[in-house]
Structures are given as C-alpha cells and as structure tokens.
C-alpha cells in the first residue's frame, strides 16, 4: 500500500468550488454521502465551521483532512479569494507528498495557476452529477476502514425511531460523532476499557448512566480496579464521569464495600448522550462475532452504522 492508503483521514474527499457552481456540486455531494463516502462540503459542516477561523481551518482541511481533493474548475472558480486559498493549500499538500491528491474537474478550460496541462482531468461540462459521482466512488475505492464514521448512520436513526425527523437526526448524528471523536483521542488502554464497559454494563438506568460490577470488569479487561478508576478519571476531559456505589444487588454481598462502577458520557448538548454513545457502539459492532466486534471497534470502523456500508461477518 502507498502512504495515502495507509493514512487515516477525516474525509474521503473534499470539494473546492465556486458558489455559482453549487447546484452541480451539491448534487454530487448528495450522491456520495448516500453511498457512504465522507465528503467535506460546506453545507454539511455548518455547525463545525461555526465560530472557527475559516482561513486557518480551511487551510488545514485542504492540506491534511481528506484523501483526495476535487477542484471544480470554472471561470468563476479562478476569480474567488476563498477558492484560491483552498487551491493553494491543496497544491502545497500535493507538492510535498508527490502523490495523486488533486482531482481536477472542469466545467471549462479556464487556466488555473500551478495546475499543469499535463495533469489528467474530468470534463464535467457534459457529464451529469450522478455520472461524475460514480467516477469519484471508483477513485476513492469505497469507504475507509479505519477511523471511519459513516455520513448517514441510518441504523442509529432507526434505533431511536427518528427516521422522519430531520432535526432529531442531525442532533443524534452530532452527539454520536462527538463520541466517535472522543474515542479517537483515547489511548489504546482507554479505548479497550470503554469498549468492554459498554459491552458488559447494565443499561437499565439509561439515559442517565450505565453500571457494572468493577470486579467483573477487572476480570474482563485484566486491569486492576485502581487502574480502571484512574483510566476513567483521566477521561473527564473527553466527557466521562464515573463513581463507585454500593452493590446492593449482588447475591451474598457483605459489608459496605463499593463495588458497582457507574459511568456516564456527555457532550453537554443532550441529556441522553450516554444512551446515544451506547447505541453507537452497539450498532457499530452489529452482525459481528465478539472477536471481530472488538477488532472493528479498535480500528474505529463504524461501517455497520449505515446500511450502505454494512458488511456481513466473514470467518
């Protein structure tokens, strides 16, 4: 594999285009999104872009965040300040890596600074958005299998019975994706602990929290109780809260020893964040045996959340 195939990206493809060409670009983005391709398209990033220094943020996106960058070239494209900024960032990445990163798509033959005539391009002046989308899908080669969160996690929407409620879908997506980002920031031990906790804890007290006997978690993870507590305590900045309480339900329990570990997670936008986090992990491993489920979670491959990227388990 090449470096570009080994590297993890937030997006499969990012789009750089002039506002006058939005109708065409929007149609392409919609097709790709429905097929599980992660697209950086401004209308899909409205909340994430809100309040950011766009000059700095977009520079990072077009240099670092996507596997490929499609330039939708037109006369209008060549005249815009923002498209020139995006293009220069993309060209810096392409120059440093010396790989196929920039994918030119032309509405016309407008010359673009730094883009040589010898670079292969697609003429989209006579090509429908659907046809062009198919070419991008072939180029990308399907969805990414590491650090992958599908753009349309419809299995999650179905579990919350919000398939026809666009506002609820957007909120659930954001909370679930924030949980995914929290997982990306964890150490391997932290991820291992979180996965085993959610897979073995009791969900009866959702949406507030989940709980599990800490000795059971010790036996499953191999971590000592003190290490379990330290790891969860260290994840407060990622939204986790945890404490021990008396285990009054365990048969034969004697004394006041606190044995039940209670954990909640929140991104501070909804009261049912823990429930959404639980559902995210539950459906992310749906259809897999226990071994493959843990391997999938360790890779942060959440393909199973979407019907277009769902795969049957293979042994």
């Amino acid at each position: 594999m090449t470096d570009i195939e080994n590297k993890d990206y937030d997006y499969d493809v990012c789009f750089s285009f002039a506002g006058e060409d939005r109708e065409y670009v929007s149609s392409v983005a919609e097709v790709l999104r429905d097929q599980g391709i992660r697209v950086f398209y401004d209308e899909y990033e409205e909340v994430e872009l809100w309040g950011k220094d766009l000059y700095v943020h977009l520079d990072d996106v077009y240099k670092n965040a996507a596997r490929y960058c499609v330039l939708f070239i037109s006369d209008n494209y060549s005249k815009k300040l923002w498209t020139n900024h995006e293009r220069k960032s993309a060209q810096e990445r392409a120059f440093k890596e010396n790989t196929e990163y920039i994918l030119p798509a032309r509405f016309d033959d407008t010359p673009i600074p730094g883009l040589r005539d010898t670079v292969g391009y697609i003429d989209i002046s006579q090509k429908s958005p659907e046809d062009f989308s198919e070419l991008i899908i072939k180029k990308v080669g399907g969805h990414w299998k590491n650090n992958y969160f599908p753009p349309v996690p419809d299995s999650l929407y179905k579990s919350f019975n919000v398939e026809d409620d666009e506002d609820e879908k957007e909120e659930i997506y954001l909370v679930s994706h924030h949980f995914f980002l929290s997982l990306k920031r964890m150490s391997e031990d932290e991820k291992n602990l979180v996965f085993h906790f959610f897979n073995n804890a009791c969900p009866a007290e959702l949406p507030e929290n989940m709980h599990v006997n800490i000795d059971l978690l010790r036996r499953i993870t191999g971590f000592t109780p003190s290490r379990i507590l330290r790891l969860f305590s260290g994840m407060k900045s990622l939204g986790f809260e945890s404490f021990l309480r008396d285990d009054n339900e365990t048969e034969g329990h004697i004394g006041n020893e606190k044995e039940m570990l209670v954990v909640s997670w929140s991104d501070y936008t909804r009261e049912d964040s823990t429930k959404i986090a639980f559902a995210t992990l539950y459906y992310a491993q749906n259809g897999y045996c226990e071994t493959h489920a843990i391997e999938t979670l360790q890779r942060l491959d959440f393909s199973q959340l979407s019907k277009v990227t769902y795969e049957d388990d293979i042994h």
Side-chain angles (χ1 to χ4, degrees):
M1 282 189 176
T2 63
D3 289 341
I4 194 171
E5 290 170 330
N6 280 320
K7 187 174 179 180
D8 296 327
Y9 295 99
D10 294 327
Y11 305 95
D12 296 305
V13 62
C14 59
F15 286 171
S16 178
F17 63 96
E20 290 81 355
D21 302 316
R22 179 176 294 279
E23 182 177 356
Y24 185 98
V25 176
S26 179
S27 297
V28 174
E30 184 176 354
V31 172
L32 295 182
R33 192 166 182 257
D34 288 344
Q35 291 300 313
I37 303 298
R38 299 167 300 172
V39 185
F40 180 83
Y41 173 60
D42 58 357
E43 289 189 351
Y44 297 160
E45 306 291 328
E46 186 175 10
V47 174
E48 292 298 322
L49 295 177
W50 189 12
K52 281 188 168 62
D53 182 333
L54 295 182
Y55 189 90
V56 174
H57 181 69
L58 293 178
D59 178 62
D60 180 62
V61 168
Y62 288 93
K63 280 199 298 191
N64 303 310
R67 187 179 176 194
Y68 292 109
C69 176
V70 176
L71 306 185
F72 290 86
I73 297 169
S74 65
D75 181 55
N76 289 313
Y77 184 89
S78 67
K79 299 174 181 177
K80 302 286 184 176
L81 290 176
W82 281 109
T83 54
N84 278 300
H85 174 55
E86 295 161 2
R87 171 184 57 79
K88 290 176 181 178
S89 298
Q91 287 175 328
E92 180 181 340
R93 150 88 173 271
F95 177 77
K96 287 181 177 179
E97 294 188 351
N98 193 28
T99 57
E100 294 178 10
Y101 170 56
I102 294 176
L103 305 178
R106 289 188 170 275
F107 289 107
D108 55 41
D109 58 359
T110 300
I112 298 297
L115 190 63
R116 296 178 178 177
D117 293 337
T118 54
V119 176
Y121 66 90
I122 299 295
D123 182 353
I124 55 176
S125 62
Q126 302 297 321
K127 197 177 292 291
S128 71
E130 292 74 21
D131 289 343
F132 182 53
S133 299
E134 289 301 317
L135 295 180
I136 295 176
I137 292 171
K138 290 179 181 178
K139 187 69 176 180
V140 170
H143 62 278
W144 213 225
K145 300 297 287 185
N146 292 289
N147 290 325
Y148 176 81
F149 191 93
V152 184
D154 40 26
S155 295
L156 203 57
Y157 302 151
K158 185 177 181 180
S159 72
F160 283 89
N161 196 29
V162 297
E163 295 166 287
D164 298 322
D165 190 329
E166 294 301 321
D167 290 338
E168 277 290 292
K169 284 164 62 175
E170 182 177 359
E171 287 190 12
I172 289 173
Y173 175 89
L174 289 174
V175 174
S176 181
H177 191 251
H178 287 161
F179 180 63
F180 175 80
L181 294 178
S182 293
L183 294 172
K184 287 183 66 175
R185 298 184 178 104
M186 293 179 188
S187 68
E188 290 303 312
D189 281 350
E190 288 172 336
K191 283 194 295 184
N192 187 46
L193 177 60
V194 168
F195 296 153
H196 284 297
F197 174 84
F198 276 100
N199 280 355
N200 293 278
C202 175
E205 296 177 8
L206 286 173
E208 287 80 14
N209 62 64
M210 297 179 67
H211 57 274
V212 69
N213 184 283
I214 195 168
D215 184 64
L216 174 61
L217 196 57
R218 173 189 69 82
R219 295 173 185 274
I220 293 171
T221 62
F223 299 150
T224 64
S226 60
R227 179 158 175 72
I228 290 172
L229 295 175
R230 285 199 306 272
L231 285 171
F232 269 120
S233 178
M235 289 188 281
K236 284 186 177 180
S237 63
L238 298 178
F240 285 89
E241 295 289 341
S242 61
F243 63 91
L244 284 176
R245 74 180 184 206
D246 291 341
D247 181 1
N248 296 319
E249 299 176 359
T250 301
E251 185 177 353
H253 175 75
I254 299 176
N256 296 318
E257 183 179 359
K258 295 181 182 295
E259 296 179 344
M260 192 67 72
L261 176 64
V262 182
V263 175
S264 62
W265 176 83
S266 178
D267 73 340
Y268 308 106
T269 62
R270 287 175 60 117
E271 294 182 354
D272 60 349
S273 295
T274 304
K275 184 176 181 179
I276 294 174
F278 168 68
T280 298
L281 290 182
Y282 179 84
Y283 287 101
Q285 54 189 310
N286 188 33
Y288 287 145
C289 68
E290 183 177 0
T291 299
H292 287 172
I294 292 297
E295 290 175 353
T296 297
L297 294 179
Q298 290 287 0
R299 295 197 310 270
L300 294 184
D301 176 10
F302 283 20
S303 303
Q304 302 297 84
L305 292 179
S306 174
K307 62 184 178 184
V308 299
T309 52
Y310 182 95
E311 294 181 347
D312 292 325
D313 201 2
I314 299 176
H315 289 270

